Amino acid sequence: MGISIKTLLEHEFFKDFHIVAGSKGIQKEVQGIAVMDAPDAYRWTKGKELVITSGYSILMEPDCIKKSFDEGLMQITSGMIIKRGRHLPMISKEIIELFEQYEIPLISMPFEIGYMEVMQQVDTIVMNRTIRRFQIHQNGAMMLGSTTYKVQKIKKILQAVEVEMGFPAFLYDVGEQEGYCSSANFKRISETYGLQESDYWNPKMEHNRYTLCDYIQMTRIRMFNEDNVDGPRISWILMPISIGGNLQAYFIVMESREFLDYYDEYSIRIAYLLLQSVYEQIVIAQSIGNIGFENLVLLALHSTGEDEERLLYQAGQQGISMNTRYICVLFHQMNEELSARNSREQYITVFKNSQLSKNAKLAFLDENIGIVLMELSDSVSYSQKHMEGMISDFEQKIVETFPKMELEFAVLREGKKMSELKSSVETCGKVMKMGKKLCPKKKIWDYEMIGPFAWLQIPEKELEQMLSEYLDMMKDEKNVELLRTLKVYLENNMNFSVTAEKMYVHINTIRKRIDKLDRMLQIDWDSYISRLKIEILLQFLEL
């Protein structure tokens, strides 16, 4: 996918480039730069080029522009840039009218800027834009699906390829013998042409091969049918991914509509490097001792009844008893510009040097999400304060090593077995989600502090609405006093007399305040659950 002329001209480098004519075509896509200073050079245009000229050919043969329009050659370009003051003191009215008529942007260029500078800038802009679009971050949701970190990352890269280039993509993992598609489009096209997965790297039908890049073995495979030469053909780009000489996967991009353009090759190379990086991370991680425990954790999270024997075997390999009970600490790195897992080795080193690591192990669940499992011991009492102290020590050491990392934590101190790990992590996820809303100034939330909201399962929108309503009320100090009254009233079983005694005011004052709150909040006094929600919520407001 190219880049529009409008996007190019918005960059600082092009601030002194001015559109002379054809401004309605400013959204035309540029897929390459061509320098043309011969009167008949337009016959070799392929389409979508941004043509640069000094105007010499126009000076020598004034009708060359009109001829190129008459022959339909200029219309397939994206636009033309003419260097100001080089050979043409001014652009003729006829030329301006032609570019205006066909809505082809005609742009004047400063005299002092060289062609090579323009080409480099365009390439740089396209490259930077592509890299930005391929920056794949994990969202804040606690991802506990059936897919691993590697699979999630691969699928996101493949999806980004199709979004950026418009071509469906596919990756086949050789070790796992598993294929992953960017979308259903890839399978649909494969079925249309009768292609099996293995045909993409070992085609059985007649085909041609063209090497596009020796270094990364980038190859175009083009299928054809000898019985129907004029019939539909299909081609794709094949790139094997290898680490240390060992084949890991095949990366394929389908050319179902047309061949890749010049700038598409930027995108496909970036995608290739990202996928290769994923496999490099996996290979490196496998050499670290902690990976065995991480695999056990991931298996426990995704296991079914059928995996029980495999889970017992993996636990045995790690010297872990399935009867051991663990405190679960879920952590989330919030800065989306960074990846905690990419710094996995340093992360684990910092963890091992922290107070939190005593009788505990760390495992990553995703790019910026992980857990710490701490063995419960009868000889040690892990109070909320004690846990917060150890977690704060770990957080401080992480920030010292990675100053831009921002961590938040959820703690479940109720010890649970490895077979209950999924439940523990899900509970921690709920605690973190609720903690952000109820206690946004904190970074460490304990289940015993947030727990009631987790098991009450108040819908997120309802909780946000309640919080918003109460916080808006608290902007007025008079309303803060009303909410204090409501808090004491509910704590004392809605007894006006006891509430008045506790607040040292007349009972009629309490009645008036409750009546006013009833009008403001429309409280359903007959609903026990409704009253309980309000009572718990008031505990977290700074009254």
Side-chain angles (χ1 to χ4, degrees), residues 282-324:
I282 299 301
V283 171
I284 291 170
Q286 287 172 346
S287 66
I288 301 174
N290 199 59
I291 194 65
F293 175 71
E294 186 164 299
N295 286 338
L296 173 63
V297 166
L298 293 173
L299 179 61
L301 286 174
H302 305 137
S303 66
T304 62
E306 298 175 357
D307 298 317
E308 187 174 350
E309 289 187 11
R310 186 179 169 195
L311 191 61
L312 286 168
Y313 173 79
Q314 291 283 0
Q317 292 292 306
Q318 297 299 314
I320 292 175
S321 169
M322 293 299 290
N323 292 319
T324 302

Side-chain angles (χ1 to χ4, degrees), residues 145-212:
S146 60
T147 53
T148 64
Y149 161 80
K150 180 177 79 171
V151 174
Q152 292 169 7
K153 197 71 177 283
I154 287 170
K155 287 184 175 180
K156 288 186 177 183
I157 294 170
L158 295 178
Q159 288 164 7
V161 169
E162 185 163 358
V163 170
E164 170 66 17
M165 299 167 54
F167 296 106
F170 173 73
L171 182 134
Y172 182 81
D173 188 292
V174 174
E176 296 181 358
Q177 296 185 351
E178 187 72 36
Y180 307 100
C181 299
S182 59
S183 73
N185 292 332
F186 193 93
K187 290 184 177 179
R188 178 178 54 78
I189 295 169
S190 298
E191 290 171 358
T192 300
Y193 288 91
L195 293 168
Q196 303 297 318
E197 287 183 348
S198 60
D199 288 328
Y200 287 105
W201 55 90
N202 186 24
K204 303 177 184 65
M205 293 181 279
E206 292 294 324
H207 65 279
N208 290 326
R209 285 179 180 261
Y210 306 93
T211 299
L212 301 179

Side-chain angles (χ1 to χ4, degrees), residues 424-474:
S424 297
V425 175
E426 287 177 340
T427 300
C428 284
K430 291 177 182 178
V431 169
M432 186 175 287
K433 189 175 182 180
M434 290 295 184
K436 289 180 183 181
K437 298 184 182 301
L438 298 171
C439 306
K441 294 181 180 179
K442 293 179 70 68
K443 290 186 177 179
I444 304 172
W445 301 284
D446 192 283
Y447 175 77
E448 290 188 13
M449 176 176 68
I450 306 294
F453 279 91
W455 55 257
L456 273 177
Q457 294 184 337
I458 302 175
E460 187 173 351
K461 287 186 178 179
E462 182 181 340
L463 179 61
E464 288 177 351
Q465 183 178 351
M466 291 172 67
L467 274 171
S468 176
E469 192 173 10
Y470 283 49
L471 292 173
D472 284 343
M473 285 180 61
M474 289 175 62

Side-chain angles (χ1 to χ4, degrees), residues 262-297:
Y262 177 71
Y263 292 131
D264 283 333
E265 291 199 25
Y266 283 3
S267 299
I268 201 171
R269 282 174 167 81
I270 292 170
Y272 167 80
L273 292 173
L274 287 171
L275 288 167
Q276 187 179 49
S277 175
V278 171
Y279 280 93
E280 285 175 348
Q281 290 175 40
I282 299 301
V283 171
I284 291 170
Q286 287 172 346
S287 66
I288 301 174
N290 199 59
I291 194 65
F293 175 71
E294 186 164 299
N295 286 338
L296 173 63
V297 166

Side-chain angles (χ1 to χ4, degrees), residues 444-537:
I444 304 172
W445 301 284
D446 192 283
Y447 175 77
E448 290 188 13
M449 176 176 68
I450 306 294
F453 279 91
W455 55 257
L456 273 177
Q457 294 184 337
I458 302 175
E460 187 173 351
K461 287 186 178 179
E462 182 181 340
L463 179 61
E464 288 177 351
Q465 183 178 351
M466 291 172 67
L467 274 171
S468 176
E469 192 173 10
Y470 283 49
L471 292 173
D472 284 343
M473 285 180 61
M474 289 175 62
K475 292 176 183 178
D476 187 336
E477 182 60 34
K478 293 179 181 179
N479 292 334
V480 173
E481 187 62 28
L482 288 176
L483 291 174
R484 286 197 195 102
T485 303
L486 178 60
K487 182 173 181 290
V488 177
Y489 179 69
L490 291 172
E491 287 173 350
N492 289 279
N493 298 316
M494 300 188 296
N495 186 303
F496 288 108
S497 178
V498 175
T499 303
E501 289 180 16
K502 292 284 182 71
M503 300 195 73
Y504 304 103
V505 296
H506 195 277
I507 190 171
N508 289 338
T509 302
I510 299 298
R511 292 183 188 278
K512 289 178 182 178
R513 289 179 183 177
I514 297 300
D515 286 342
K516 187 174 182 180
L517 281 164
D518 193 19
R519 292 193 300 272
M520 295 173 71
L521 298 175
Q522 301 294 310
I523 300 171
D524 184 0
W525 298 106
D526 295 326
S527 171
Y528 173 76
I529 295 298
S530 177
R531 298 197 309 269
L532 183 60
K533 288 178 184 177
I534 295 171
E535 185 175 349
I536 296 172
L537 185 61

